[in-house]
């Protein structure tokens, strides 16, 4: 399935949460902190008021409860507004 966001929205794929601590303790999924990082998959064209400042492949941080969660080919994705993206992770 191919999804193209509209206006100032960005489609991102959630990063996997760590399931084990450095000490080797396994963290159950129910106890894991919701991930707040993702990789940009598609971007909308932007609007006159809001310019898109991320591009495909960028790793980003976003507000904790932002976006609309969707599944694409069995994998979790989010559609975020540009305003919900708080940082680009530069590695």
């Amino acid at each position: 399935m191919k999804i193209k966001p509209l206006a100032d929205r960005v489609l991102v794929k959630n990063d996997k949460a760590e399931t084990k601590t450095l000490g080797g303790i396994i963290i159950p999924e129910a106890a894991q902190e919701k991930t707040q990082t993702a990789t940009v998959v598609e971007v909308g064209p932007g609007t006159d008021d809001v310019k898109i400042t991320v591009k495909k492949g960028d790793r980003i941080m976003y507000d904790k409860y932002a976006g609309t969660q969707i599944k694409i080919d069995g994998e979790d994705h989010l559609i975020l507004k540009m305003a919900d993206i708080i940082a680009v992770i530069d590695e």
Side-chain angles (χ1 to χ4, degrees):
M1 176 174 18
K2 178 117 173 123
I3 294 180
K4 178 72 176 170
L6 300 176
D8 66 334
R9 290 179 172 80
V10 178
L11 176 66
V12 299
K13 181 178 177 185
N14 295 331
D15 289 345
K16 299 282 185 201
E18 290 296 322
T19 58
K20 193 186 296 187
T21 66
L22 292 176
I25 298 171
I26 296 174
I27 304 168
E29 190 171 322
Q32 292 176 8
E33 186 68 27
K34 182 180 176 188
T35 182
Q36 291 179 265
T37 61
T39 302
V40 176
V41 176
E42 284 287 339
V43 296
T47 66
D48 292 337
D49 297 327
V50 180
K51 304 295 182 216
I52 301 295
T53 57
V54 295
K55 62 187 180 310
K56 288 182 190 180
D58 281 350
R59 285 200 58 232
I60 56 105
M61 290 178 67
Y62 58 90
D63 285 334
K64 189 169 188 167
Y65 299 106
T68 301
Q69 203 165 34
I70 60 171
K71 279 200 185 276
I72 301 173
D73 299 328
E75 296 191 41
D76 289 333
H77 288 69
L78 279 175
I79 297 179
L80 301 169
K81 286 190 171 200
M82 187 63 211
D84 293 330
I85 297 174
I86 55 177
V88 174
I89 301 169
D90 190 18
E91 296 181 75

